[in-house]
Amino acid sequence: MRIHLINPSDASFGAAVITPRWLYVLAGATPPESGDLQIVDETLEQLDPASVSAGDVVGIGIHTLNALRGYEVGRAARSRGAYVVYGGIHATLFPDEPFEHGGAHAVVKGDGDRVWGEVITDCHAGAPRRVYDGGKVEGCAMQSARWDLLPRANYMIASVQTLRGCPKHCSFCSVWRTDGQKPRVRESDAVIDEIVQLRRMGFRFVALADDNFYPVTLGDLRMADRRADRTAYDRLVGIRNQRFELMEQLSKLPSDMVFFTQITMEAAEDPEYLDAMRRARIRGALVGVESVTPEGLKDIHKDFNLSGDALVERLQQFKARGVHVLGSFIFGLPSDKPLTFDATAVFAQKANVTLAQFVMLTPFPGTHDFEKWEASVADHAPTIAGVPVTRYWLIPKHLRPKVYTPHPVMSPAEIRQRTQRVWDEFYRLPLVWERAKCVKSLKSRVAFVMASKLYRQMYANTGISTDSARSHRAHRMTRLMARPLVKLFAGRPMPSLQKAPRLSVPT
Ligand code: B12
Ligand code: SF4
């Protein structure tokens, strides 16, 4: 009997940018006596259903946009007699759906770190429960990943989590609900152990795949400090100290390592924090700029962000302190106008962000935006292929709309076209080459240009470049670029790298 862990994807490229962490965390949570483990990341290659046999346990992790493919995989596995178990954010939010569409025997809600072993035991006994609640595992109990099982040659960047949860409550994001608003910080030693293991395997680039790397702001501290009861203040100071301790340990790792993460822009007010990030070689951070207008920020409950010149200044602070910004922008907010697109394109240049993504507002389940939208269409939601649009992830991909919420002044087609134009403008070759000056050697500049182009190919998902022949060409190009990029991103393996008490780097 075997255990299969499957990361579903419609598109496979032979190589991928970032390791899907959940696969290797669940591999770590799989009791060794459970049987052989087969890990399939469909962003590399599709599952061969013949590899699944009767009595096997098949774990499938789904987020909203790959749920439909996940259900297809689950039905195929069930028809071969396997036990089919779903987990991940989408299964957590819609625990009944995998039974209806994906041939599920069981669903795990929340974190799989602790509960996965129990699920396997129940399946082996022939009696899985319908729903398991894995809850929100505390930082000290989070499972480390089994990187020894990773096909090293297929990934550019590894992913390690240092905390889960985010204290904010942006209207388009579900993380603060599913992962909680209380940051759950992992122990630095566990994080560093994983990174040392990854460096031994030759990974130089590591994504710190946290929801928000800056969980305690100076404003939070000031507010807590005003209270007579010191509990909250002491807790926040404790979390802040843990962050500095982690960054101190990261700074002791080999000097060619590069980390990046996701962070709120409030970190720019905290030079001490940014300096610690630079010393830790956290060279890049995705910053959710979202909108360049105050009205846009209000639309999404992100009043803690800035707009206008203050925003430019804030983003430049990151760069001034050695942290490059991947600016993330959302188009299609209710207050957006045609001019907003041009203003955003100009802004991205002016703020000198190193990379950028321009996403179209998508009502993801579990968010305020989704609830508002679902309530607004109530029981008269239009249907496509028999599926109400409020369950858009169940609509076959080629029929799925790209814009869902009606906009007061623009049509969906206009939002898509304008968004695509901003992507195209930002990733024009001469501009990318100019931005590539942020790295020194010619090899690094070439890697930067290729990575920028690949990023654009993979994430400019406006539906315009993904139509027809252009989509096939883009797909082929991505496949061709992915392999050489893995090589360009790789570092020298350091099999004898040691940690503790202080890292000694072999010469
Ligand atoms: C890192 C990250 C990325 C990275 C890397 C993705 C990768 N290859 O791993 C990048 C930048 C590429 C990315 C891209 C996108 N992402 Co993303 N990403 C994340 C982030 C911050 C962390 C994911 C992670 O590694 N977590 C660590 C692992 C260990 O945790 P986990 O996945 O939650 O798994 C645990 C449980 O869910 C459970 N579990 C998971 N699977 C299974 C399966 C079984 C069988 C069981 C038992 C349990 C189980 O157990 C695990 C251990 O506890 C999450 C936020 C989050 N909190 O999850 C968003 C998140 C998953 N992303 C999100 C989105 C929207 C996207 C994009 C669509 C963004 C965009 N507009 O382009 C793209 C989609 C890419 C794609 N097609 O897959 C949303 C998904 C929302 C949703 N409802 O689906 C999230 C939740 C963020 C958010 N703001 O809401 N992402
Ligand atoms: S700051 Fe980021 S992770 Fe936190 S709620 Fe907002 S979008 Fe989500």
Side-chain angles (χ1 to χ4, degrees):
M1 271 190 292
R2 297 218 277 176
I3 311 295
H4 306 255
L5 293 171
I6 302 170
N7 189 41
S9 174
D10 292 302
S12 308
F13 299 104
V17 180
I18 304 184
T19 50
R21 182 170 171 77
W22 79 266
L23 283 176
Y24 295 91
V25 168
L26 275 229
T30 305
E33 66 282 3
S34 312
D36 288 347
L37 191 55
Q38 175 180 262
I39 295 179
V40 178
D41 176 7
E42 290 201 319
T43 64
L44 304 177
E45 301 301 343
Q46 301 276 290
L47 169 78
D48 173 8
S51 65
V52 178
S53 307
D56 288 358
V57 180
V58 175
I60 304 168
I62 49 174
H63 55 81
T64 298
L65 298 185
N66 72 359
L68 194 59
R69 170 64 193 156
Y71 296 151
E72 202 172 46
V73 168
R75 289 195 304 270
R78 182 143 188 170
S79 73
R80 297 191 60 84
Y83 288 103
V84 177
V85 185
Y86 286 85
I89 185 161
H90 192 79
T92 299
L93 291 165
F94 292 98
D96 292 330
E97 212 179 81
F99 294 96
E100 209 180 315
H101 298 278
H105 288 90
V107 162
V108 172
K109 286 167 43 172
D111 294 343
D113 308 45
R114 294 281 147 249
V115 84
W116 177 233
E118 189 187 329
V119 179
I120 295 175
T121 308
D122 290 353
C123 288
H124 282 171
R129 295 207 308 269
R130 185 177 165 93
V131 176
Y132 294 79
D133 193 348
K136 296 183 182 68
V137 170
E138 281 307 324
C140 58
M142 283 177 196
Q143 176 67 51
S144 291
R146 283 275 315 267
W147 295 121
D148 56 305
L149 301 174
L150 182 82
R152 164 69 191 96
N154 297 93
Y155 295 95
M156 291 168 217
I157 299 170
S159 53
V160 173
Q161 248 185 345
T162 79
L163 61 75
R164 287 187 200 161
C166 175
K168 307 296 184 195
H169 52 88
C170 305
S171 70
F172 57 87
C173 177
S174 56
V175 153
W176 55 284
R177 282 177 163 168
T178 51
D179 275 359
Q181 287 186 289
K182 187 175 146 256
R184 293 174 283 146
V185 184
R186 266 183 96 196
E187 281 164 2
S188 308
D189 277 342
V191 173
I192 300 292
D193 282 344
E194 279 196 40
I195 297 174
V196 166
Q197 193 188 353
L198 289 161
R199 189 66 182 93
R200 287 183 189 144
M201 295 161 71
F203 278 104
R204 270 184 70 203
F205 291 84
V206 178
L208 303 175
D210 300 353
D211 298 315
N212 175 4
F213 193 80
Y214 186 57
V216 176
T217 66
L218 293 179
D220 296 336
L221 284 171
R222 278 193 296 269
M223 229 151 61
D225 197 20
R226 279 189 224 119
R227 291 199 208 141
D229 179 354
R230 305 309 287 162
T231 322
Y233 180 77
D234 291 345
R235 188 177 63 80
L236 296 180
V237 169
I239 294 175
R240 184 172 166 88
N241 290 344
Q242 277 177 300
R243 304 312 282 160
F244 279 101
E245 188 207 307
L246 170 71
M247 291 191 275
E248 166 71 16
Q249 288 202 52
L250 287 174
S251 72
K252 304 281 188 294
L253 288 160
S255 61
D256 65 348
M257 293 208 68
V258 177
F259 301 96
F260 59 90
T261 190
Q262 310 197 106
I263 204 161
T264 55
M265 67 173 69
E266 296 151 304
E269 298 170 334
D270 194 342
E272 197 187 350
Y273 203 84
L274 287 188
D275 286 345
M277 284 174 68
R278 191 193 59 238
R279 285 195 300 276
R281 297 186 201 86
I282 303 175
R283 291 269 152 76
L286 184 151
V287 177
V289 181
E290 327 301 4
S291 172
V292 298
T293 69
E295 299 77 29
L297 294 173
K298 212 162 171 201
D299 286 340
I300 53 173
H301 311 175
K302 206 151 183 169
D303 305 3
F304 59 88
N305 268 8
L306 297 179
S307 54
D309 287 345
L311 173 56
V312 173
E313 210 175 291
R314 205 168 245 200
L315 292 183
Q316 283 173 347
Q317 271 301 312
F318 282 96
K319 203 154 186 172
R321 299 211 171 245
V323 180
H324 292 281
V325 171
L326 189 170
S328 182
F329 301 86
I330 304 178
F331 285 134
L333 302 176
S335 61
D336 280 357
K337 302 187 178 51
L339 273 179
T340 314
F341 294 81
D342 305 332
T344 306
V346 170
F347 171 87
Q349 297 298 340
K350 195 170 160 194
N352 208 2
V353 297
T354 308
L355 288 167
Q357 64 179 23
F358 307 95
V359 301
M360 290 177 297
L361 184 63
T362 305
F364 279 106
T367 65
H368 276 315
D369 286 351
F370 184 86
E371 281 160 13
K372 220 165 97 187
W373 174 54
E374 197 180 30
S376 74
V377 288
D379 47 6
H380 53 270
T383 59
I384 298 174
V387 181
V389 283
T390 46
R391 295 293 176 271
Y392 56 85
W393 51 91
L394 297 175
I395 299 172
K397 220 168 173 187
H398 63 285
L399 299 175
R400 216 176 279 171
K402 295 285 170 189
V403 178
Y404 296 97
T405 34
H407 193 273
V409 295
M410 286 179 285
S411 70
E414 185 176 359
I415 294 174
R416 285 167 63 186
Q417 274 154 10
R418 288 186 181 278
T419 304
Q420 185 68 51
R421 254 185 261 150
V422 179
W423 274 103
D424 292 346
E425 171 60 22
F426 188 84
Y427 287 96
R428 266 199 306 127
L429 195 56
L431 296 182
V432 174
W433 184 246
E434 191 54 33
R435 286 197 288 271
K437 287 184 182 156
C438 66
V439 288
K440 286 195 190 93
S441 69
L442 184 64
K443 182 182 162 195
S444 302
R445 283 184 84 177
V446 172
F448 181 91
V449 171
M450 286 177 72
S452 294
K453 286 286 177 189
L454 185 80
Y455 192 79
R456 187 216 162 285
Q457 291 296 31
M458 282 179 155
Y459 296 110
N461 195 19
T462 57
I464 289 174
S465 64
T466 50
D467 285 341
S468 68
R470 212 177 147 186
S471 143
H472 287 112
R473 271 207 312 278
H475 199 95
R476 248 199 344 262
M477 258 251 301
T478 310
R479 222 174 216 280
L480 280 175
M481 277 162 73
R483 281 281 180 175
L485 265 170
V486 170
K487 289 210 174 101
L488 277 171
F489 271 72
R492 179 170 58 95
M494 294 182 169
S496 53
L497 180 68
Q498 294 299 324
K499 184 202 124 197
R502 287 280 159 235
L503 267 169
S504 60
V505 185
T507 49

